[in-house]
């Protein structure tokens, strides 16, 4: 498939599948495709997600809050299988009209509160529990600046580089070169920052680290798109130091496997409804019990 001679029409119309790994779930319109209510568990916080980098951000924060002793951060994490179109069910669309994971519904108040977009969820929870987001104006501004840096930058990494390098139905040199350049530039931004700072926003671990680590920490360790060698990720020594530091945190190790459906069975906890699920309900345990 080549687009070297492609001339865009005057008005674009959706008349064929786009191809590639996610062709079955991509469409140019919003809204639900079927009626399906969301399940509700016993905890006030109900998370509907998948263990992608965006989903990991929220479960890492929730596990970190629980590790600090915030009992109100107990949560139910329900699996949303985006490859099967769960995100287009009417209940999920009500929680997130953008039909993207993750979505959070907080039932702790008199009326449920929906929160969508991973960065918004991180900020909501950090403010709700008074943790992992500084209150001093300068420190808060720094943390939020890096949080929103991630929200604006990751689409170039995932939807740009990752898509054209790993998922597109054809290898397009211009697109891969364009986004590889941007991915490396972003890694250099982080590497320069982390040369002078223990954590992304300064000396303290914040939601900025939790947002950035699932994407760029994984990239630095060669775990995204099979592209570690291609992007020379070993060159970013400060990012690698930071990535290892975050990965060693027990709450991160728990949070990164929630709603995960890929990899080793021991690193997959499809749904999380109780702290004991990490010991009792990972896929290796469930398969062994069959």
């Amino acid at each position: 498939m080549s687009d070297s001679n492609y001339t865009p029409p005057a008005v674009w119309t959706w008349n064929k599948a786009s191809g590639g790994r996610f062709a079955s779930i991509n469409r140019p319109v919003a809204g639900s495709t079927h009626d399906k209510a969301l399940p509700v568990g016993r905890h006030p916080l109900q998370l509907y997600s998948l263990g992608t980098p965006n989903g990991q951000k929220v479960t890492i924060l929730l596990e970190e809050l629980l590790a600090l002793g915030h009992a109100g951060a107990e949560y139910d994490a329900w699996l949303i299988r985006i490859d099967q179109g769960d995100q287009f069910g009417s209940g999920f669309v009500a929680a997130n009209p953008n039909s993207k994971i993750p979505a959070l519904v907080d039932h702790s108040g008199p009326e449920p509160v929906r929160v969508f977009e991973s960065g918004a969820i991180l900020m909501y929870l950090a403010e709700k529990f008074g943790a992992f987001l500084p209150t001093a104006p300068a420190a808060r501004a720094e943390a939020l600046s890096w949080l929103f840096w991630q929200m604006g930058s990751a689409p170039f990494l995932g939807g740009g580089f990752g898509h054209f390098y790993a998922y597109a139905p054809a290898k397009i040199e211009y697109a891969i070169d364009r986004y590889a350049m941007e991915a490396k530039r972003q890694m250099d931004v982080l590497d320069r920052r982390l040369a002078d700072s223990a954590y992304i926003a300064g000396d303290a671990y914040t939601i900025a680290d939790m947002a950035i680590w699932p994407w760029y920490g994984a990239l630095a360790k060669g775990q995204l798109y099979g592209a570690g060698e291609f992007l020379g990720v070993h060159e970013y020594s400060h990012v690698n130091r930071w990535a290892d530091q975050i990965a060693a945190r027990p709450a991160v190790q728990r949070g990164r496997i929630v709603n995960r459906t890929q990899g080793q069975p021991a690193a997959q906890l499809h749904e999380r409804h109780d702290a004991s699920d990490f010991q009792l309900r990972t896929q290796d345990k469930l398969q062994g019990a069959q």
Side-chain angles (χ1 to χ4, degrees):
M1 182 184 299
S2 173
D3 63 352
S4 60
N5 298 315
Y6 175 65
T7 301
V11 178
W12 183 84
T13 57
W14 186 35
N15 55 18
K16 62 180 182 298
S18 59
R21 179 172 171 181
F22 300 105
S24 64
I25 63 171
N26 290 330
R27 58 195 184 112
V29 294
S32 62
T33 59
H34 59 283
D35 289 330
K36 184 176 181 181
L38 289 176
V40 178
R42 63 188 178 92
H43 301 299
L45 297 178
Q46 299 292 302
L47 179 66
Y48 306 94
S49 192
L50 182 69
T52 65
N54 282 339
Q56 289 176 32
K57 299 174 191 177
V58 179
T59 48
I60 286 171
L61 174 55
L62 287 166
E63 291 298 326
E64 292 282 13
L65 289 167
L66 290 169
L68 277 185
H70 292 285
E74 273 292 351
Y75 66 104
D76 290 277
W78 302 92
L79 180 61
I80 300 296
R81 294 186 179 273
I82 62 173
D83 59 332
Q84 297 178 17
D86 289 350
Q87 70 275 32
F88 301 123
S90 57
F92 190 89
V93 173
N96 183 356
N98 196 39
S99 292
K100 302 290 185 182
I101 62 94
L104 178 77
V105 181
D106 183 357
H107 295 269
S108 63
E111 296 291 336
V113 176
R114 76 174 186 184
V115 194
F116 58 92
E117 291 296 327
S118 57
I121 297 172
L122 293 182
M123 190 171 174
Y124 176 82
L125 291 171
E127 291 181 336
K128 179 181 178 73
F129 293 101
F132 301 114
L133 180 59
T135 56
R140 177 183 172 86
E142 188 73 14
L144 291 179
S145 292
W146 284 107
L147 171 63
F148 286 100
W149 175 87
Q150 188 279 321
M151 295 295 292
S153 296
F156 290 96
L157 176 58
F161 174 75
H163 177 79
F164 287 106
Y165 183 81
Y167 303 139
K171 302 297 184 187
I172 303 170
E173 182 179 8
Y174 172 81
I176 292 172
D177 285 350
R178 166 69 179 85
Y179 288 110
M181 183 182 300
E182 176 60 11
K184 288 185 69 66
R185 188 194 71 82
Q186 292 178 9
M187 289 291 281
D188 194 46
V189 169
L190 292 175
D191 205 58
R192 290 169 185 264
R193 170 59 177 168
L194 290 165
D196 299 323
S197 179
Y199 295 101
I200 293 294
D203 293 334
Y205 175 58
T206 71
I207 56 174
D209 299 283
M210 299 176 208
I212 294 170
W213 181 83
W215 283 100
Y216 296 90
L219 183 65
K221 307 313 293 185
Q223 297 167 0
L224 281 186
Y225 314 120
E229 181 179 6
F230 181 75
L231 293 176
V233 295
H234 66 281
E235 301 168 4
Y236 305 103
S237 59
H238 303 294
V239 178
N240 272 275
R241 181 270 304 165
W242 165 84
D244 290 339
Q245 184 177 355
I246 303 299
R249 298 179 67 91
V252 171
Q253 294 169 11
R254 293 191 298 273
R256 70 176 296 274
I257 74 170
V258 177
N259 297 142
R260 188 174 179 87
T261 60
Q262 296 180 331
Q264 294 296 318
Q268 297 183 38
L269 180 61
H270 287 186
E271 291 191 349
R272 187 268 192 214
H273 303 288
D274 188 85
S276 65
D277 290 344
F278 291 104
Q279 286 73 46
L280 302 177
R281 299 193 61 81
T282 52
Q283 283 303 105
D284 59 323
K285 302 292 196 317
L286 295 181
Q287 292 171 2
Q290 292 177 355

